[in-house]
Amino acid sequence: MRGLLLDDPRLSAAAREALARRVLSPTAKEVSFQDAEFDSIVTTAQRMFRAPHLRITDNARHLAQWQSGAFPRGGEAWLLGEALDCLARTGEAPHDPGAASAAGCSPAMRGCWAGSGPSTLGNGCF
């Protein structure tokens, strides 16, 4: 770009002089991680995110199976599917089994989700 501008006759002498000066790139102030440090960071991150990723993947698979009718109505797998469906529809998990069902989730499922019902399915979701 500088070469094109220097040839332009409309360019003032001061501008031509400024363009002719070489501008040095600033020296880097950041230092990269050593390979061993970077590998350690990556390994730690993989360990931290593996379990949540697997839970999310399993819950997404369970929800898809529930939506296809794969579980008998009323069983623990069905209740977890209903809880996941409520979470997917409303963005909130039912947490108070005694509260009215504002999100449209059944009382049996709310009890199951909160751990006060026949099982504690909610503990495996988060």
Side-chain angles (χ1 to χ4, degrees):
M1 183 65 120
R2 180 173 54 179
L4 293 174
L5 290 174
L6 284 172
D7 292 339
D8 192 333
R10 297 173 294 177
L11 201 60
S12 70
R16 192 177 309 280
E17 185 179 315
L19 279 173
R21 274 187 254 132
R22 184 176 177 145
V23 178
L24 298 176
S25 300
T27 57
K29 294 178 184 166
E30 295 178 8
V31 178
S32 299
F33 291 107
Q34 297 296 324
D35 288 343
E37 291 173 311
F38 184 74
D39 290 343
S40 174
I41 292 168
V42 169
T43 301
T44 301
Q46 287 172 335
R47 255 188 253 122
M48 288 175 61
F49 290 102
R50 179 173 168 70
H53 173 55
L54 291 174
R55 265 195 315 274
I56 291 167
T57 302
D58 288 345
N59 286 336
R61 187 178 306 114
H62 191 97
L63 177 60
Q65 290 173 333
W66 180 84
Q67 290 171 333
S68 70
F71 304 117
R73 186 174 183 84
E76 285 191 358
W78 186 87
L79 288 172
L80 177 57
E82 189 176 1
L84 292 170
D85 179 65
C86 180
L87 180 63
R89 283 184 294 105
T90 66
E92 295 182 9
H95 58 279
D96 184 4
S101 180
C105 300
S106 72
M109 186 271 304
R110 284 196 317 267
C112 179
W113 186 270
S116 63
S119 71
T120 55
L121 291 174
N123 294 338
C125 292
F126 299 103

